[in-house]
Amino acid sequence: MNIEMIRAAALRLNGHARKTPLLTSPFLDKIAGRRVLLKPECLQHTGSFKFRGAWSAVSSLTNEQLDAGVIAFSSGNHAQGVALAAREHDTAAVIIMPRDAPALKINNTRALGAEVVLYDRASEDRDQIGSELAAQRGLTLIKPYDEPQVIAGQGTTGLEIAAQAAELGVTQGDVMVCCGGGGLTSGVALALEADAPGLRARPVEPENYDDVTRSLISGQIERNVITQNGLCDAIVTPQPGDLTFPILHRLCGPGVVVTEDEALKAMVLAWGRLKIVLEPGGAVGLAAALFHRDAIEGDAVIAVASGGNVDAPVFQMALTKFGDIL
Amino acid sequence: MNIEMIRAAALRLNGHARKTPLLTSPFLDKIAGRRVLLKPECLQHTGSFKFRGAWSAVSSLTNEQLDAGVIAFSSGNHAQGVALAAREHDTAAVIIMPRDAPALKINNTRALGAEVVLYDRASEDRDQIGSELAAQRGLTLIKPYDEPQVIAGQGTTGLEIAAQAAELGVTQGDVMVCCGGGGLTSGVALALEADAPGLRARPVEPENYDDVTRSLISGQIERNVITQNGLCDAIVTPQPGDLTFPILHRLCGPGVVVTEDEALKAMVLAWGRLKIVLEPGGAVGLAAALFHRDAIEGDAVIAVASGGNVDAPVFQMALTKFGDIL
């Protein structure tokens, strides 16, 4: 895993992934006590950065692999990213989803052309179903984060941040990244190391799911005890990846842990001040930038908003609970 | 009023206004029955295209005028655009607002550095207050639409659309523009005439406020009988402007009138499929593209989303009423 793979992924993504802008608001600057630059990956195709990694992985397959198709396990953003990337490569995508996943997510994934295979969480073994299907049809598994070409695709976010922040005169500071398995954070960290060495990636996690923050402190992979997924489901994973953790450990600053209420407040502020839609897990980076100012160094802070795939009731709850923050 | 003024405004806006992207979604294409490209001016500074015209007007003032300051009448998007443009030019802005304007809008305008002068709609004469202040302090009035440099600034939206649509292979089709006094629509129409002659501007209005649509049919300026502003308050004006109407008449296709419910549905789809926040008046262009397909010609349609400054209760109402459209 190296910067050349990220640059190669950027060439493959060119004209296919969206180059998201860097957004700013004087109102957010005031709350944060410094300049805030936000990278809104909610505006990426399929509503999250996951499309970058999916496109990178699918576009690096051989013709033989593309003829057979791809497979992924996901009930969320990775599923939609892989489905769209596969469709645009004219290859088949099989997505294994739990039967109790939200109907909208299942419908969206199907509408993007994927074959959705549902399984029962209680009685069926997801990995077994996937392995059998993959073997039977020669499908290539696209892992959500612990896969070099996926990390390379997510890292293109970091290349764009380096260039766009420099245009705005920002070359020093922390980059707050919503962190689950660490694919986005490690890719961004590698890109910043090469193109913006004054910018430092900081993993941000929701409370109770702070495996990366604890792993960075102990220097070894620590696990979450996950009892339920919480509001920030998009970035809840059991532990950092075997590929991502060494990169995070080498390059990232300390992790920051935010509360669910802070994530909801960041969603409301992004809605009101930047006119973008974030999901709770996609808002933790901005929440850290706004509400954990003492944990951050420098005159400017950059936050990556990783996605915006949120159900209407959760979004309405955030507006009801914290609409008066505006 | 000509294309050279728009090109000159684009140079002045460069590095100050945001070049908004063109967004797409396969889900919207399906509803519209053709490709849909959306220009999200809600992502512009201050949350609407009005910043472009305000910047254009303020940046064309003489040093003497800048020393004295500017004045505007507005309870909405124009107020915030003028306030921010003035602040970034280090010039004073006085904004005359009705005392019963939403507190959030008054606070935002003040927070952007403007001096807000409140008046009582029932007992005081807005124009008299403004004239007295302007005379007393030598302030320059920045009109919301019937002013060449304002039209020139709004027209930069059209220059960007012409270039961005061509990159996506779209050079023929209708461009649905949210239309109040016609500043944005006439500016976009002039820009398209020069840079994308296969694209045609179409004014879109909410029902009961279809002065432009009727004026285009009759060939002369027709008035609305405005009893209340309705949900689409941002684009409700009594009649097309003296400067804007001849441009609209010469260059635009027929107007399209949408219902408030169609605007709310477009807001929900923009929220769910593009992850952006629109106000009702800012959503009528997209509503026309999605729900009036028979009124539109071509394989692709472009919609301009003019702004996203909406109060939380209205936004929640839209999600409650039409959330199941996703």
Side-chain angles (χ1 to χ4, degrees):
Chain A
M1 190 64 243
N2 57 52
I3 184 68
E4 295 314 321
M5 290 177 66
I6 301 178
R7 296 204 200 284
L11 289 177
R12 295 198 304 280
L13 265 67
N14 190 28
H16 301 287
R18 197 169 276 145
K19 283 194 176 63
T20 52
L22 270 190
L23 302 179
T24 58
S25 159
F27 295 97
L28 299 186
D29 296 352
K30 198 167 174 192
I31 297 170
R34 49 169 67 87
R35 268 178 94 184
V36 179
L37 313 181
L38 187 96
K39 183 75 171 167
E41 281 296 301
C42 54
L43 302 179
Q44 190 53 261
H45 297 296
T46 70
S48 90
F49 74 97
K50 290 284 189 181
F51 179 76
R52 295 177 185 261
W55 185 278
S56 172
V58 174
S59 64
S60 68
L61 297 180
T62 64
N63 285 339
E64 200 177 10
Q65 289 173 311
L66 286 173
D67 285 344
V70 298
I71 185 167
F73 303 95
S74 170
S75 60
N77 292 335
H78 181 57
Q80 294 189 54
V82 170
L84 185 60
R87 185 173 78 177
E88 296 196 1
H89 281 83
D90 285 321
T91 190
V94 177
I95 313 287
I96 316 276
M97 300 179 91
R99 197 176 299 280
D100 58 352
L104 181 61
K105 289 189 174 168
I106 296 174
N107 292 342
N108 283 349
T109 307
R110 282 201 179 118
L112 292 170
E115 176 186 342
V116 173
V117 175
L118 299 173
Y119 73 97
D120 188 290
R121 282 190 218 247
S123 65
E124 292 183 288
D125 180 347
R126 183 185 86 159
D127 292 326
Q128 197 194 330
I129 297 173
S131 307
E132 283 176 13
L133 269 171
Q136 205 177 321
R137 294 163 56 173
L139 305 171
T140 303
L141 174 66
I142 311 283
K143 289 193 273 187
Y145 51 86
D146 228 23
E147 150 64 40
Q149 291 297 2
V150 170
I151 297 172
Q154 321 307 26
T156 62
T157 316
L159 297 181
E160 291 174 22
I161 288 172
Q164 293 168 320
E167 264 181 43
L168 296 173
V170 175
T171 56
Q172 297 283 329
D174 284 345
V175 180
M176 317 307 291
V177 190
C178 309
C179 190
L184 177 62
T185 314
S186 62
V188 167
L190 285 167
L192 297 178
E193 180 191 27
D195 283 10
L199 299 179
R200 178 176 67 158
R202 303 281 303 270
V204 184
E205 296 170 295
E207 60 182 349
N208 300 323
Y209 308 102
D210 58 347
D211 50 306
V212 170
T213 300
R214 288 184 288 109
S215 299
L216 288 176
I217 292 172
S218 74
Q220 60 188 28
I221 290 179
E222 307 284 347
R223 289 182 61 82
N224 288 320
V225 182
I226 299 187
T227 48
Q228 49 173 343
N229 274 351
L231 279 177
C232 299
D233 61 308
I235 59 165
V236 166
T237 45
Q239 62 184 55
D242 293 330
L243 278 178
T244 58
F245 179 66
I247 302 168
L248 303 176
H249 191 240
R250 183 169 71 81
L251 293 174
C252 288
V256 176
V257 179
V258 306
T259 66
E260 286 193 342
D261 275 358
E262 287 171 336
L264 293 172
K265 284 182 198 173
M267 284 170 65
V268 171
L269 287 163
W271 172 85
R273 298 307 186 188
L274 300 173
K275 312 304 176 189
I276 58 169
V277 178
L278 301 186
E279 60 193 277
V284 300
L286 179 60
L290 296 177
F291 308 124
H292 290 255
R293 54 201 280 181
D294 293 343
I296 295 172
E297 289 174 22
D299 298 331
V301 62
I302 299 168
V304 181
S306 55
N309 291 315
V310 53
D311 291 335
V314 172
F315 203 80
Q316 289 173 293
M317 180 269 285
L319 286 176
T320 301
K321 200 166 174 185
F322 295 114
D324 61 359
I325 202 175
L326 295 170
Chain B
M1 189 65 241
N2 57 51
I3 183 67
E4 296 314 321
M5 290 176 66
I6 302 179
R7 297 204 199 282
L11 289 177
R12 296 199 303 280
L13 266 67
N14 190 28
H16 300 287
R18 197 169 276 147
K19 284 193 175 65
T20 52
L22 270 190
L23 303 180
T24 58
S25 159
F27 295 97
L28 298 185
D29 295 351
K30 200 168 173 191
I31 296 171
R34 50 170 66 88
R35 267 178 94 185
V36 179
L37 313 182
L38 186 97
K39 182 76 171 166
E41 281 297 300
C42 54
L43 302 179
Q44 190 52 263
H45 297 297
T46 69
S48 90
F49 74 97
K50 289 285 189 181
F51 179 75
R52 293 177 187 261
W55 185 278
S56 172
V58 174
S59 65
S60 68
L61 297 180
T62 64
N63 285 339
E64 198 176 13
Q65 288 173 310
L66 286 173
D67 284 344
V70 299
I71 186 168
F73 302 95
S74 168
S75 60
N77 291 335
H78 182 57
Q80 294 188 54
V82 171
L84 184 60
R87 185 173 76 176
E88 297 197 358
H89 281 84
D90 285 321
T91 190
V94 176
I95 312 288
I96 316 274
M97 301 180 91
R99 197 176 298 279
D100 58 353
L104 181 62
K105 288 190 174 167
I106 296 176
N107 291 342
N108 283 349
T109 307
R110 282 200 177 119
L112 292 171
E115 176 186 343
V116 174
V117 175
L118 299 174
Y119 72 98
D120 188 290
R121 283 189 218 246
S123 65
E124 293 183 286
D125 179 348
R126 183 185 85 159
D127 292 324
Q128 196 193 330
I129 298 174
S131 307
E132 283 176 13
L133 269 172
Q136 205 176 321
R137 293 163 56 172
L139 306 171
T140 303
L141 175 65
I142 311 283
K143 288 193 272 186
Y145 52 86
D146 228 23
E147 150 64 41
Q149 290 298 1
V150 170
I151 297 172
Q154 322 306 26
T156 62
T157 315
L159 297 181
E160 291 174 21
I161 289 172
Q164 293 169 321
E167 264 181 42
L168 296 173
V170 175
T171 56
Q172 297 283 328
D174 284 344
V175 179
M176 316 308 290
V177 189
C178 309
C179 191
L184 177 62
T185 313
S186 62
V188 166
L190 284 167
L192 297 179
E193 181 191 27
D195 283 11
L199 300 179
R200 180 176 65 158
R202 303 281 303 270
V204 184
E205 296 171 295
E207 59 182 350
N208 300 324
Y209 308 103
D210 58 347
D211 51 305
V212 170
T213 300
R214 287 184 288 107
S215 300
L216 288 176
I217 292 171
S218 74
Q220 60 187 30
I221 289 178
E222 306 286 347
R223 290 183 61 82
N224 288 320
V225 181
I226 299 186
T227 50
Q228 50 173 344
N229 274 351
L231 279 177
C232 298
D233 60 308
I235 59 165
V236 166
T237 44
Q239 61 183 57
D242 294 330
L243 277 178
T244 58
F245 178 67
I247 301 168
L248 301 177
H249 191 239
R250 183 169 71 82
L251 294 174
C252 289
V256 177
V257 179
V258 307
T259 66
E260 287 194 341
D261 275 357
E262 287 171 335
L264 294 173
K265 285 181 196 171
M267 284 170 65
V268 171
L269 286 163
W271 172 85
R273 298 307 187 189
L274 299 173
K275 312 303 175 189
I276 58 169
V277 179
L278 302 186
E279 60 194 277
V284 299
L286 179 59
L290 296 177
F291 308 124
H292 290 255
R293 53 201 282 183
D294 293 344
I296 294 171
E297 289 174 21
D299 299 332
V301 61
I302 299 168
V304 181
S306 54
N309 291 317
V310 53
D311 291 335
V314 172
F315 203 81
Q316 289 173 293
M317 180 269 285
L319 286 175
T320 301
K321 199 165 176 188
F322 295 115
D324 61 0
I325 203 177
L326 294 170

